[in-house]
Amino acid sequence: TSITSAKIQVNGVHLHYQQTGEGSHAVLLLPGMLGSGQTDFGPQLKSMNKQLFTVVAWDPRGYGKSIPPSRDFPPDFFERDAKDAVDLMQALKFKKFSLLGWSDGGITALIAAAKYPNLIHKLVVWGANASVTQEDVRIYNGIRNVSKWSEKVRKPLEEMYGHKYFAKTCEAWVDGISRFAENPDGNICQQLLPDIKCPTFIIHGEKDPLVPQVHAEYIHKHIKGSRLLLMPEGKHNLHLRFAEDFNREVENFLH
């Protein structure tokens, strides 16, 4: 079945999304920093079970094809994304849906599941964190300059944004996310985790260079009844690198 692309107005911005499948279980894919459905979820849009699921991948405001507006990072940018994501699914007439969030999208998904419990069926997060440590800030500054990124990771984003917007937005993201380290315990959304009542599946790549494993363990510990899967060879992009294993694990959990 084909993948449709469209835009819909939500909270004063035109959000771009891709949709595929005709299953009764609606699933929203939430991309990471600078991500979009197109760059972040190719294997999921292509291969997730289209009889069981209706899969939607969105571009958060300022990312992908949801420009304008340009992306900015006010202190509440994760909350803003969470509201946009939920309101997008409501606008598309999905009454209840599951969230699959990667990296920043995982943080957004945690907040959405905590704040809108009646709308969220199940939750899957990977490469996510509920706080920012000084060590994390050091890691973020290591990716601040996009010209040092590997060609493979850089190229699709450069094609999507052009070099200037890509470079500028990455720097703004590093500044925006690093600000959380100034909060007590580096808090992003730690206090919300106990409010998450839906079945939750946390996946973590043991070789993730961007998000230390302690973050996944913290989220697992503070969401009651959650399940944690460690992938020994997984890095940050485990859903792309090990797409078949990832899709199978996630479908089994959602089904």
Side-chain angles (χ1 to χ4, degrees):
T1 57
S2 62
I3 299 170
T4 57
S5 291
K7 279 190 158 182
I8 189 166
Q9 187 164 348
V10 176
N11 298 327
V13 294
H14 290 90
L15 295 175
H16 178 263
Y17 66 94
Q18 290 167 285
Q19 185 173 329
T20 187
E22 55 273 335
S24 59
H25 189 155
V27 175
L28 177 65
L29 306 174
L30 298 95
M33 172 261 269
L34 277 160
S36 64
Q38 182 188 326
T39 54
D40 287 14
F41 295 118
Q44 284 69 46
L45 286 163
K46 183 166 171 265
S47 304
M48 274 186 77
N49 187 317
K50 302 191 181 196
Q51 280 69 54
L52 291 177
F53 304 108
T54 296
V55 180
V56 178
W58 81 309
D59 300 359
R61 61 170 76 199
Y63 284 167
K65 293 177 181 164
S66 295
I67 303 173
S70 291
R71 182 70 181 188
D72 62 348
F73 299 94
D76 67 343
F77 74 90
F78 284 118
E79 280 83 4
R80 182 180 67 183
D81 282 350
K83 182 167 170 33
D84 282 349
V86 164
D87 291 351
L88 166 73
M89 292 300 275
Q90 301 277 277
L92 295 176
K93 303 284 185 269
F94 296 109
K95 290 189 172 58
K96 208 165 176 175
F97 45 93
S98 291
L99 301 173
L100 270 64
W102 177 38
S103 200
D104 268 19
I107 301 172
T108 302
L110 291 168
I111 293 170
K115 288 195 160 181
Y116 310 98
N118 301 335
L119 303 177
I120 310 306
H121 184 41
K122 293 185 177 181
L123 171 65
V124 183
V125 296
W126 66 105
N129 46 301
S131 65
V132 174
T133 67
Q134 289 306 322
E135 165 70 0
D136 295 328
V137 172
R138 194 185 61 73
I139 294 170
Y140 302 148
N141 278 300
I143 62 164
R144 185 186 184 89
N145 179 354
V146 297
S147 55
K148 292 183 181 163
W149 289 26
S150 77
E151 168 90 4
K152 190 166 160 256
V153 181
R154 191 177 73 227
K155 204 163 178 249
L157 291 167
E158 247 167 15
E159 281 168 6
M160 167 88 72
Y161 294 115
H163 178 78
K164 194 178 161 195
Y165 186 91
F166 172 40
K168 182 185 79 176
T169 308
C170 182
E171 289 182 5
W173 175 83
V174 171
D175 293 339
I177 193 121
S178 297
R179 236 179 274 130
F180 290 103
E182 295 159 21
N183 291 345
D185 296 327
N187 180 45
I188 303 174
C189 62
Q190 291 170 318
Q191 75 291 354
L192 292 176
L193 300 181
D195 295 342
I196 296 174
K197 302 294 186 235
C198 65
T200 301
F201 186 20
I202 301 139
I203 306 173
H204 190 76
E206 292 189 40
K207 294 185 176 173
D208 189 332
L210 285 177
V211 180
Q213 191 168 311
V214 54
H215 287 300
E217 288 165 353
Y218 182 94
I219 294 167
H220 172 48
K221 188 179 163 194
H222 290 87
I223 299 178
K224 202 174 161 130
S226 63
R227 184 177 150 214
L228 174 63
L229 172 69
L230 298 175
M231 293 178 70
E233 293 303 312
K235 292 187 180 174
H236 196 58
N237 66 343
L238 56 86
H239 66 297
L240 303 176
R241 176 79 177 70
F242 301 104
E244 267 184 52
D245 292 348
F246 175 88
N247 288 359
R248 187 183 61 247
E249 288 284 354
V250 167
E251 287 181 1
N252 288 341
F253 171 75
L254 292 174
H255 190 32

